[in-house]
């Protein structure tokens, strides 16, 4: 018998009362997580220690970053400079946010992707044909003073803790952008200078336990629209990265962040570094929380491959230059898909 339809918009508000997921969440057989095929024999994304990034070992660390970006598009970092207290407070208050009554969370509900603070579910409810087992709060956080007034008032410490976390992660992102520039042989400030006045968003992804995790996704395979993404996750696994034709699970390590290359970095690096497919699966036992920081060009920035990485003979420009806002509009005009939004910006080969 078909599972009953639910009138609740957020997964959190019906997940624990169903034994079968609603049909709107069920993927066709050809598009299911196949959890038993996920590689867990040990191949995993590199873990890079940033402790000596400003010491005599800088060159060695830059080389590790270069290898991770070109081979995996993903790496984990430890000794990243964001304090454990800041991280733990962020995770705690984010969990508290999602544990609030439905009415408190629904105050922020919107399906309008242009809203700079909103709660929603799935990915893009207006475009998703099959829904995803995820609720989220998404907000803009740079410059903080432009947005903090719209952030949730509850829990009462939410704004203060999120502002502290966002500021600290932004400082880390700026260090990473310098290191990634150097790893490409560019001037240290090259990438930062290409991002206009910069933009930073955060998502708070909440994945409730799911009675049938083999049938659905928390987030289906996708590439991030960012320059880079810095992901904080709790101790429940769920993230998987596509490498050499298979999905590999990334198991959480305390006090680390996961960094990944997004589409804008793929363009700026002229495809030396690629934005890599990844997805989030859910499980029957435990809720899962992940907090990605999405770092972007500002909407007025114009993105193109770095001149220094273009060589007419051996590496012609793979992309033309485009206003970032054109990419952004395309990204939100669709459902989350494995197909890249970048195809429209390829350099013509004629
Ligand atoms: C994302 C994402 C992964 C996760 O939000 O873009 O890839 O583990 N999240 O939640
Ligand atoms: Ni992602």
């Amino acid at each position: 018998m078909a599972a009953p339809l639910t009138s609740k918009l957020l997964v959190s508000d019906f997940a624990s009362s169903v034994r079968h997921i609603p049909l709107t969440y069920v993927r066709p057989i050809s598009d299911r997580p196949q959890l038993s095929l996920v590689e867990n024999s040990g191949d995993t994304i590199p873990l890079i220690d940033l402790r000596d990034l400003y010491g005599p070992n800088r060159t060695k660390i830059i080389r590790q970053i270069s290898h991770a970006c070109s081979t995996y598009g993903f790496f984990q970092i430890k000794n990243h400079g964001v304090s454990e207290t800041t991280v733990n407070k962020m995770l705690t208050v984010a969990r508290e946010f999602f544990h609030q009554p439905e009415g408190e969370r629904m105050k922020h509900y919107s399906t309008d992707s242009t809203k700079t603070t909103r709660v929603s579910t799935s990915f893009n409810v207006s475009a998703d044909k099959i829904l995803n087992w995820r609720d989220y709060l998404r907000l803009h956080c740079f410059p903080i003073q432009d947005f903090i007034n719209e952030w949730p008032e509850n829990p009462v410490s939410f704004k203060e803790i999120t502002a502290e976390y966002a500021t600290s992660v932004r400082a880390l992102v700026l260090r990473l952008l310098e290191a990634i520039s150097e790893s490409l042989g560019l001037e240290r400030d090259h990438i930062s200078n290409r991002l206009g006045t910069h933009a930073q968003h955060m998502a708070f992804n909440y994945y409730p336990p799911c009675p049938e995790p083999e049938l659905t996704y928390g987030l289906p395979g996708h590439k991030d629209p960012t320059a880079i993404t810095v992901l904080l996750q709790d101790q429940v696994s769920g993230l998987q990265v596509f490498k050499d034709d298979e999905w590999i699970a990334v198991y959480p390590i305390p006090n680390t962040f996961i960094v990944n290359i997004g589409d804008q970095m793929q363009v700026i690096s002229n495809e030396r570094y690629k934005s890599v497919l990844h997805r989030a699966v859910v499980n029957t036992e435990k809720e899962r929380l992940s907090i990605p920081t999405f770092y972007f060009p500002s909407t007025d920035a114009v993105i193109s491959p770095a001149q220094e990485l273009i060589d007419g003979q051996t590496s012609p420009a793979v992309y033309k230059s485009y206003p970032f806002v054109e990419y952004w509009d395309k990204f939100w005009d669709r459902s989350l898909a494995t197909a890249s939004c970048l195809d429209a910006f390829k350099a013509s080969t004629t």
Side-chain angles (χ1 to χ4, degrees), residues 13-55:
D13 295 317
F14 69 83
S16 64
S17 61
V18 296
R19 282 199 299 132
H20 295 287
I21 66 174
L23 286 177
T24 42
Y25 290 81
V26 177
R27 295 263 155 190
I29 291 174
S30 59
D31 178 27
R32 290 185 184 167
Q34 300 196 75
L35 299 172
S36 61
L37 295 186
V38 171
E39 171 61 47
N40 50 18
S41 65
D43 189 13
T44 191
I45 62 176
L47 173 61
I48 300 178
D49 188 343
L50 297 184
R51 187 189 301 276
D52 291 336
L53 188 59
Y54 292 90

Side-chain angles (χ1 to χ4, degrees), residues 152-204:
E153 301 286 342
N154 290 313
V156 286
S157 56
F158 181 87
K159 286 185 184 187
E160 186 190 333
I161 290 172
T162 303
E164 178 187 319
Y165 178 83
T167 304
S168 192
V169 171
R170 180 165 188 267
L172 166 63
V173 167
L174 297 180
R175 294 193 289 274
L176 288 168
L177 292 179
E178 289 189 348
I180 293 172
S181 292
E182 279 183 58
S183 78
L184 287 164
L186 301 169
E187 295 290 330
R188 228 181 235 210
D189 56 2
H190 183 103
I191 296 169
S192 174
N193 289 341
R194 301 288 300 284
L195 304 182
T197 55
H198 297 198
Q200 180 183 357
H201 306 174
M202 285 170 74
F204 301 79

Side-chain angles (χ1 to χ4, degrees), residues 8 28 40 64 67 86 99 112 133 136 146 160 162 175 186 191 193 197 206 214 228 233 235 276 284 319:
K8 300 290 188 189
N40 50 18
Q64 291 170 353
H67 177 257
T86 304
H99 288 172
D112 176 359
W133 203 261
Y136 63 96
D146 291 0
E160 186 190 333
T162 303
R175 294 193 289 274
L186 301 169
I191 296 169
N193 289 341
T197 55
Y206 183 74
E214 292 278 356
I228 62 170
Q233 55 176 341
Q235 291 306 299
V276 164
T284 53
Y319 299 95

Side-chain angles (χ1 to χ4, degrees), residues 293-306:
T293 293
F294 299 119
Y295 211 80
F296 290 109
S298 48
T299 39
D300 58 332
V302 174
I303 300 301
S304 64

Side-chain angles (χ1 to χ4, degrees), residues 222 224 278 294:
H222 67 279
D224 285 355
H278 55 285
F294 299 119

Side-chain angles (χ1 to χ4, degrees), residues 74 134 138 203 205 207 219-220 222-225 229 231-233 238-240 258 260 278-281 288-292 294 336:
F74 262 83
R134 169 185 82 141
R138 201 178 160 110
N205 295 322
Y207 305 99
L219 273 177
H222 67 279
K223 297 174 180 180
D224 285 355
T229 303
L231 179 84
L232 167 63
Q233 55 176 341
L239 176 65
Q240 299 177 349
I258 292 164
N260 65 283
H278 55 285
R279 65 186 190 184
V281 297
R288 174 167 181 262
L289 187 65
S290 79
I291 308 181
F294 299 119
L336 203 56

